[in-house]
């Protein structure tokens, strides 16, 4: 049976907020409605599935991280679906691995198969979009109220010129995108050792293919990953960048459409010829090398929580 979040009593949530460390819950930013407005228009909160058809978590039944994930969803009013995962067998692993030159460890293979299971669940529904989360992510309490509405508005503004009368359109704009990276560990358009300046990117890229926007809830730059802070140093404070993905690392939170979910299953349903270390490597290759229509919000909206690695 698929798992969905259950309502949490207001008293319990209030006590939890009082008892939890402030830094765990609160990102910087003014709570006033005026601070979240642009040109006088107050933002409307995203719905409980963040403007997608579903928020799907990849988490097996014995995961120690599931409890915290469900708590965060309850606290911020997000409807979370956790599809049941099969108990993978050695035969399942053999079928998944490349018969020659396999390079994937058991933990990474199981994590990859968990993503495939989530995609299959999504395609078993009639929903048009979904966002898939790994179970070791966290987010700001401002996610629904401010961060998602701003990011969605930016994507709609970028993609709207490509809308036609026959193009399906959603809260996240016309469905001309395939992968939308909202939770990642960097997309710097190069490797960590050679992060380029954004100036040449801006100079050579038409304005219609990226967008910067003010986010009053964004943490101070000294709280970012050093690589992200260096990469985005040209931007004003409290500014995010929406751009075509170039080097999207990690799959902590990515959105799919029905078409792209089916394409992922068809293209990356196994480790594949030549082997591969991890699912997120294949996703990076799809965006960087194979022309998939991918977009990234930088810095990310869904952030990885450090902890014991189940893959390891």
């Amino acid at each position: 049976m698929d798992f969905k979040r259950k309502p949490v009593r207001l008293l319990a949530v209030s006590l939890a907020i009082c008892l939890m460390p402030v830094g765990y819950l609160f990102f910087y930013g003014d709570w006033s409605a005026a601070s979240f407005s642009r040109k006088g228009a107050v933002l409307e909160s995203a719905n409980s599935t963040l403007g997608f058809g579903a928020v799907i978590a990849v988490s097996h039944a014995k995961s120690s991280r599931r409890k915290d994930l469900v708590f965060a969803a309850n606290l911020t009013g997000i409807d979370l679906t956790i599809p049941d995962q099969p108990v993978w067998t050695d035969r399942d692993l053999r079928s998944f691995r490349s018969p020659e030159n396999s390079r994937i460890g058991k933990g990474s293979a199981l994590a990859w198969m968990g993503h495939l299971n989530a995609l299959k669940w999504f395609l078993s529904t009639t929903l048009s979009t979904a966002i898939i989360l790994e179970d070791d992510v966290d987010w700001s309490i401002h996610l629904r109220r401010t961060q998602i509405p701003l990011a969605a508005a930016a994507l709609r503004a970028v993609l709207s010129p490509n809308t036609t009368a026959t193009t399906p359109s959603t809260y996240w704009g016309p469905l001309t995108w395939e992968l939308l990276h909202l939770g990642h560990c960097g997309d710097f358009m190069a490797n960590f050792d050679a992060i380029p300046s954004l100036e040449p990117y801006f100079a050579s890229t038409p304005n219609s293919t990226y967008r910067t926007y003010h986010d009053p809830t964004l943490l101070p730059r000294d709280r970012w990953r050093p690589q992200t802070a260096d990469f985005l140093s040209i931007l004003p404070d409290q500014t995010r960048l929406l751009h075509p993905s170039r080097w999207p690392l990690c799959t902590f939170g990515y959105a799919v459409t029905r078409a792209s979910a089916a394409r992922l299953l068809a293209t990356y349903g196994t480790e594949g010829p030549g082997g591969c270390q991890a699912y997120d490597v294949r996703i990076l290759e799809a965006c960087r090398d194979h022309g998939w229509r991918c977009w990234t919000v930088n810095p990310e909206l869904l952030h990885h929580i450090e902890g014991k690695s189940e893959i390891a």
Side-chain angles (χ1 to χ4, degrees):
M1 180 179 293
D2 303 324
F3 178 91
K4 286 184 177 288
R5 74 176 186 92
K6 296 180 180 179
V8 171
R9 293 180 182 274
L10 180 60
L11 176 59
V13 173
S14 300
L15 287 173
I17 291 173
C18 293
L19 293 173
M20 292 182 70
V22 173
Y24 182 83
L25 289 175
F26 292 96
F27 279 22
Y28 291 90
D30 189 343
W31 273 88
S32 66
S35 70
F36 298 137
S37 63
R38 295 282 292 176
K39 298 181 180 179
V42 177
L43 292 170
E44 293 186 7
S45 296
N47 67 11
S48 61
T49 53
L50 306 180
F52 300 104
V55 180
I56 306 171
V58 178
S59 182
H60 63 79
K62 296 182 179 180
S63 173
S64 61
R65 304 183 297 223
R66 181 183 289 204
K67 182 179 178 181
D68 290 340
L69 183 73
V70 172
F71 178 85
N74 281 324
L75 184 65
T76 51
I78 294 174
D79 284 326
L80 187 68
T81 299
I82 307 180
D84 290 337
Q85 287 189 18
V87 177
W88 309 111
T89 65
D90 289 342
R91 181 177 181 180
D92 294 327
L93 283 168
R94 286 194 299 271
S95 298
F96 172 81
R97 284 191 165 115
S98 176
E100 297 181 3
N101 303 316
S102 176
R103 293 186 288 154
I104 195 166
K106 180 178 180 179
S108 292
L110 293 174
W112 189 331
M113 293 161 69
H115 279 271
L116 299 177
N117 182 69
L119 292 170
K120 290 174 182 176
W121 180 90
F122 166 53
L123 289 178
S124 74
T125 73
T126 59
L127 302 172
S128 60
T129 60
I131 184 167
I132 297 176
L133 313 182
E134 296 180 354
D135 65 2
D136 52 349
V137 297
D138 195 13
W139 52 85
S140 167
I141 56 174
H142 300 296
L143 185 69
R144 275 188 65 183
R145 182 175 178 178
T146 304
Q147 295 174 352
I148 288 293
L150 287 172
L155 186 64
R156 290 195 303 268
V158 169
L159 297 181
S160 290
N162 298 323
T163 303
T164 67
T166 59
T167 302
S169 190
T170 68
Y171 181 82
W172 288 92
L175 297 183
T176 55
W177 53 271
E178 292 184 284
L179 297 173
L180 176 58
H181 298 277
L182 301 183
H184 52 85
C185 54
D187 186 350
F188 309 118
M189 307 173 198
N191 61 39
F192 282 145
D193 298 324
I195 299 172
S197 166
L198 271 179
E199 282 128 328
Y201 174 74
F202 284 150
S204 61
T205 305
N207 189 57
S208 61
T209 61
Y210 68 85
R211 182 156 299 239
T212 60
Y213 62 91
H214 176 68
D215 182 347
T217 71
L218 184 57
L219 286 166
R221 201 179 302 267
D222 61 7
R223 300 285 300 279
W224 301 359
R225 291 189 185 89
Q227 296 93 339
T228 303
D230 288 344
F231 173 58
L232 300 178
S233 60
I234 188 177
L235 299 181
D237 289 339
Q238 294 189 311
T239 301
R240 293 192 196 267
L241 172 67
L242 169 74
H243 61 87
S245 304
R246 293 293 188 273
W247 201 290
L249 296 168
C250 308
T251 48
F252 297 129
Y254 63 101
V256 293
T257 66
R258 293 192 70 80
S260 62
R263 189 180 184 189
L264 284 170
L265 287 170
T267 310
Y268 303 122
T270 64
E271 182 185 4
C276 183
Q277 301 95 324
Y279 176 70
D280 59 350
V281 174
R282 288 297 194 214
I283 297 296
L284 185 152
E285 292 171 348
C287 298
R288 184 192 64 191
D289 303 329
H290 302 303
W292 287 49
R293 298 186 299 277
C294 308
W295 294 86
T296 298
V297 174
N298 237 328
E300 70 275 12
L301 305 181
L302 301 156
H303 190 72
H304 177 231
I305 299 174
E306 297 296 335
K308 183 179 179 181
S309 171
E310 291 192 357
I311 291 177

